[in-house]
Amino acid sequence: MSAMVLGGRYQVQDKIGAGGMATVYRGLDEVLGRTVAIKTMLPQYANDPSFAARFKQEAQAAAALQSPYIVSVYDWGKDADTYYIVMEYLRGTDLKSGIRKHGALDCKKVAQIGSQIAQALSVAHKHDIIHRDIKPQNIMVQPDGNIKVMDFGIARAKNSHLTQDNSVLGTAHYVSPEQTQGKDLGPTTDIYSLGIVMYEAVTGQVPFQGDDAITVALKQVNEQPKPPSQLNPAVDPSLESIILKCMQKSPADRFQTADELYRTLRDYLAGRMQAVNTATSMLPAQPTNKLERGAGVVPATSGTASMPRVERTNRYRGQSATEQAAEQEAERARKHKRNVVLGVIGGVAAVAIAIVALVSVLGNRTAMATIPSLAGMTQEQAEDALAERGLELGDIDRGFSEDYPEGQIYDQDPSALREVPEGTRVNIRISRGPSGAEETEVPDLTNLTPEDAERKLQEVGLLGREGESREDENIEQGRVCDQSDEPGSKIRVGQTVTYYLSSGSGQESVPDVSNKDEETAASEIEEAGFELAPTQYIYSDSVSEGNVVYTTPSAGESHDRGTTVTLYVSLGPEQPEEINVPYVVSYSYYDAAAALRNQGFTPILASGNSAEGKVTSQSITGTAPRGAEIVLTTQTPTVTEPSTGQTDPELPGQDPDDEPSTPGTTTGDNTSTTTGDNTGTTTGDNTGTTTGDNNGTTTGAESGTHTGLSSN
């Protein structure tokens, strides 16, 4: 499978996981040069029309969803008998792993995660797509701290006829009561699951636990969750009320849209408490008193912690987010058989509900109380009124009211006339008078974190709102660099001050990633705010294969965020190419050397050999690496001085004591040596030696020795 290219474009590389109906590979988009995740349907399902239709539906549904908080689906198709989906390759860690490692998370961080998930769900719901499997394993925390919702593998359009077995899909710890009972599902089903995700994030544990899926599913239908603050006293009451409203048993009692939930979480993060209380005012009563640690109360595993930007934890250490997701999909497949039993829960749950209702009518002896109206009372009067009914005073907040004078209660939660169990705590808001009744001095927020800025504004009765980030080379990124109202100026209490966070100087230095592996280098480049161009691969004698040789722009150079950086990754030392060696025996040395150089070789004359001779042997024949040295052996020529036939005594080769000779002619290949004055003609191959004055003619191959004067 590793050599397969799907759709003529997507190169399938190493396998990173397998699930119930698909296998996931790391791949390469050969057109854009980027790493992708490729999900292919298992062969046994590819020929099943119903599974093929489901796979196609998943791809079409997911590809239509465009959000920074949803994993991107780039492409999908069919190649021969293989159905495939091409997705964004994620880096980071899943939320479940983060909770396992750190325990309960900080309330602000949980609200930020929840608001991003709500925005992702809002996009899906507007396309009539219900995710149906929202859980921490499907929430990936990216290196920049933002999240991505993944795995729309069991998502379906609201009116789709596919996957009718609603009750067996999803995970028991996070499914809604209506999903457990096999009822029709709407957007509020995802909101319920998101409530459980936030519950787990602030407490470190799921609200309903059991030995098997059926037990957990029945608890989803029948049992009320413990308020998160009983498990983690640090949970903010406002966030607790938001979570519990998401987890109401009746869909009608929850937030009705993901947008509504997002706006409420946004208000909570901005410190607009009144807006949060209004959004949760219809929440049915829950005991909110913080019990002392004891039986039935399980504390958060490690208090609260902030979610890290980048973590690889537990058995997923060293894996990318896509690889984690693939492994988790395989885990889901292993549990599939066990979860099938949820298919019968609809009937079982209905019977259980009837029994519970009957017991409630006939045998419930919990003392109930009616919450009085506290509006217009002072704090002391409210305490007395609540105590008379067996209720307790809860959290006290202060705000501005045009209708109630300073010191009087103008809002309460739960609301008046609600029937609640005795011991329920009632939270109140006490008026500070009309919002324009007084002015306050605007504090200096420079260099504060958003949390500290909000806190400092609240201390003087002002509200805070985060504006668009601004470049500021003097203020650390993420801290306040500017504000809408000058520090020290006077404005009315209750007004909103907008603060602006620094995005840094706008330029960053390109990190030095030389000698780091490609994935690590790519991650560091992206974390620094740069974009990655397609990786280039080059030969290097000094850098190990797979590691970065250099980048362009070079390390240390300052450039605008978003600038494209190219990684040059080593292929290791270049292996010389083997090519044919020309056969140059019988060539003159100069011709032989030229022929070898033309083919990229290096000719070497053997020691003691003459460049004037012809090549009689070469050290290498056949093939050799380009640039190899070829040693040539030559034979010294036997005729070193040409005979001219002239009588000039000063000419070389003429004895001044002899009589002048008649010019002769030498024809053919002659390897003999002629000494003295020669006036004869030598024809053919001659290997003998002629000495003295010769004026005859020698024809043919001569092997003898001629001495003296020849007259034949």
Side-chain angles (χ1 to χ4, degrees), residues 374-616:
L374 306 178
M377 294 184 182
T378 64
Q379 177 179 336
E380 292 75 13
Q381 291 170 336
E383 288 177 344
D384 292 341
L386 291 172
E388 289 176 2
R389 292 166 173 77
L391 303 174
E392 298 180 8
L393 182 63
D395 295 331
I396 301 171
D397 195 12
R398 298 182 184 275
F400 297 94
S401 171
E402 304 297 328
D403 301 320
Y404 292 87
E406 183 177 0
Q408 290 187 3
I409 296 171
Y410 70 93
D411 193 13
Q412 66 185 78
D413 181 29
S415 57
L417 306 181
R418 293 277 299 279
E419 288 291 327
V420 296
E422 286 188 0
T424 296
R425 303 179 75 209
V426 180
N427 304 319
I428 61 173
R429 291 175 65 86
I430 299 176
S431 173
R432 298 177 62 175
S435 60
E438 59 180 296
E439 288 188 340
T440 187
E441 186 175 297
V442 178
D444 186 356
L445 307 178
T446 304
N447 214 27
L448 296 181
T449 64
E451 294 79 10
D452 289 342
E454 295 276 0
R455 188 179 303 110
K456 197 165 187 177
L457 290 169
Q458 290 177 11
E459 288 174 357
V460 295
L462 299 175
L463 301 177
R465 183 175 71 87
E466 182 180 332
E468 294 291 332
S469 297
R470 298 180 176 180
E471 293 184 7
D472 191 318
E473 61 184 10
N474 298 316
I475 301 295
E476 179 185 346
Q477 182 177 354
R479 291 180 174 268
V480 177
C481 64
D482 198 4
Q483 59 193 80
S484 58
D485 296 271
E486 288 292 328
S489 62
K490 296 279 190 177
I491 62 174
R492 288 186 303 167
V493 170
Q495 284 192 314
T496 298
V497 175
T498 302
Y499 54 88
Y500 304 91
L501 302 182
S502 170
S503 61
S505 66
Q507 287 199 332
E508 291 287 345
S509 294
V510 178
D512 184 0
V513 294
S514 56
N515 278 306
K516 296 185 178 181
D517 65 85
E518 182 179 351
E519 184 174 353
T520 299
S523 178
E524 291 186 13
I525 293 293
E526 290 179 330
E527 286 177 16
F530 297 105
E531 299 290 334
L532 281 172
T535 301
Q536 302 297 312
Y537 297 92
I538 60 174
Y539 292 105
S540 173
D541 294 330
S542 59
V543 177
S544 301
E545 181 178 356
N547 289 353
V548 175
V549 182
Y550 62 89
T551 62
T552 55
S554 300
E557 292 184 11
S558 294
H559 292 274
D560 292 337
R561 293 187 184 89
T563 297
T564 299
V565 175
T566 302
L567 298 178
Y568 288 82
V569 176
S570 173
L571 292 170
E574 182 174 8
Q575 299 300 319
E577 180 185 2
E578 291 274 340
I579 58 176
N580 291 326
V581 178
Y583 187 73
V584 296
V585 171
S586 81
Y587 284 36
S588 71
Y589 172 76
Y590 296 108
D591 289 344
L596 291 171
R597 288 193 188 96
N598 287 340
Q599 295 300 315
F601 297 103
T602 302
I604 302 293
L605 180 63
S607 176
N609 282 238
S610 170
E612 301 300 325
K614 292 187 177 181
V615 175
T616 59

Side-chain angles (χ1 to χ4, degrees), residues 93-95 113 117 135-141 147-149:
T93 186
D94 67 280
L95 181 58
I113 291 173
I117 299 173
K135 57 187 177 182
Q137 295 92 325
N138 285 337
I139 310 302
M140 307 308 298
V141 183
I147 62 94
K148 290 267 189 182
V149 179

Side-chain angles (χ1 to χ4, degrees), residues 147-485:
I147 62 94
K148 290 267 189 182
V149 179
M150 357 173 278
D151 197 357
F152 279 79
I154 62 172
R156 67 180 179 92
K158 199 188 313 184
N159 300 317
S160 170
H161 65 283
L162 298 175
T163 61
Q164 292 297 327
D165 55 337
N166 295 346
S167 61
V168 305
L169 296 174
T171 303
H173 288 106
Y174 306 92
V175 295
S176 64
E178 63 270 23
Q179 190 172 359
T180 295
Q181 296 170 284
K183 296 180 180 179
D184 290 338
L185 306 181
T188 53
T189 234
D190 285 342
I191 292 172
Y192 182 95
S193 298
L194 175 51
I196 294 185
V197 169
M198 292 192 290
Y199 185 107
E200 184 179 5
V202 297
T203 64
Q205 65 183 61
V206 292
F208 304 114
Q209 302 182 45
D211 295 331
D212 52 52
I214 293 178
T215 301
V216 174
L218 285 173
K219 289 183 177 181
Q220 298 282 16
V221 175
N222 301 324
E223 293 188 9
Q224 293 292 337
K226 293 180 181 177
S229 58
Q230 289 189 12
L231 304 179
N232 178 10
V235 174
D236 189 311
S238 294
L239 182 59
E240 177 176 83
S241 66
I242 294 171
I243 293 171
L244 292 178
K245 182 166 182 175
C246 291
M247 293 175 59
Q248 291 301 297
K249 302 301 181 186
S250 171
D253 292 334
R254 304 170 197 154
F255 294 98
Q256 293 303 291
T257 67
D259 268 340
E260 181 186 4
L261 173 56
Y262 160 65
R263 289 193 298 270
T264 303
L265 289 168
R266 181 192 62 193
D267 289 338
Y268 166 76
L269 288 167
R272 292 190 281 272
M273 305 296 292
Q274 190 167 358
V276 172
N277 287 343
T278 300
T280 59
S281 61
M282 297 303 294
L283 178 66
Q286 295 290 339
T288 57
N289 52 307
K290 297 178 175 62
L291 302 181
E292 293 184 6
R293 186 167 298 179
V297 179
V298 182
T301 57
S302 60
T304 61
S306 297
M307 189 65 187
R309 281 180 171 260
V310 183
E311 284 287 346
R312 290 191 170 100
T313 61
N314 304 327
R315 58 196 176 96
Y316 302 121
R317 184 176 301 277
Q319 295 181 340
S320 72
T322 303
E323 291 168 330
Q324 294 175 29
E327 186 168 336
Q328 291 157 7
E329 188 173 347
E331 185 176 341
R332 290 196 297 273
R334 291 192 292 272
K335 296 180 180 178
H336 179 72
K337 291 183 180 180
R338 181 183 178 188
N339 290 340
V340 169
V341 296
L342 287 174
V344 300
I345 287 179
V348 174
V351 173
I353 292 173
I355 295 173
V356 170
L358 184 61
V359 171
S360 297
V361 172
L362 298 178
N364 188 350
R365 300 187 180 185
T366 301
M368 303 295 288
T370 301
I371 298 177
S373 175
L374 306 178
M377 294 184 182
T378 64
Q379 177 179 336
E380 292 75 13
Q381 291 170 336
E383 288 177 344
D384 292 341
L386 291 172
E388 289 176 2
R389 292 166 173 77
L391 303 174
E392 298 180 8
L393 182 63
D395 295 331
I396 301 171
D397 195 12
R398 298 182 184 275
F400 297 94
S401 171
E402 304 297 328
D403 301 320
Y404 292 87
E406 183 177 0
Q408 290 187 3
I409 296 171
Y410 70 93
D411 193 13
Q412 66 185 78
D413 181 29
S415 57
L417 306 181
R418 293 277 299 279
E419 288 291 327
V420 296
E422 286 188 0
T424 296
R425 303 179 75 209
V426 180
N427 304 319
I428 61 173
R429 291 175 65 86
I430 299 176
S431 173
R432 298 177 62 175
S435 60
E438 59 180 296
E439 288 188 340
T440 187
E441 186 175 297
V442 178
D444 186 356
L445 307 178
T446 304
N447 214 27
L448 296 181
T449 64
E451 294 79 10
D452 289 342
E454 295 276 0
R455 188 179 303 110
K456 197 165 187 177
L457 290 169
Q458 290 177 11
E459 288 174 357
V460 295
L462 299 175
L463 301 177
R465 183 175 71 87
E466 182 180 332
E468 294 291 332
S469 297
R470 298 180 176 180
E471 293 184 7
D472 191 318
E473 61 184 10
N474 298 316
I475 301 295
E476 179 185 346
Q477 182 177 354
R479 291 180 174 268
V480 177
C481 64
D482 198 4
Q483 59 193 80
S484 58
D485 296 271

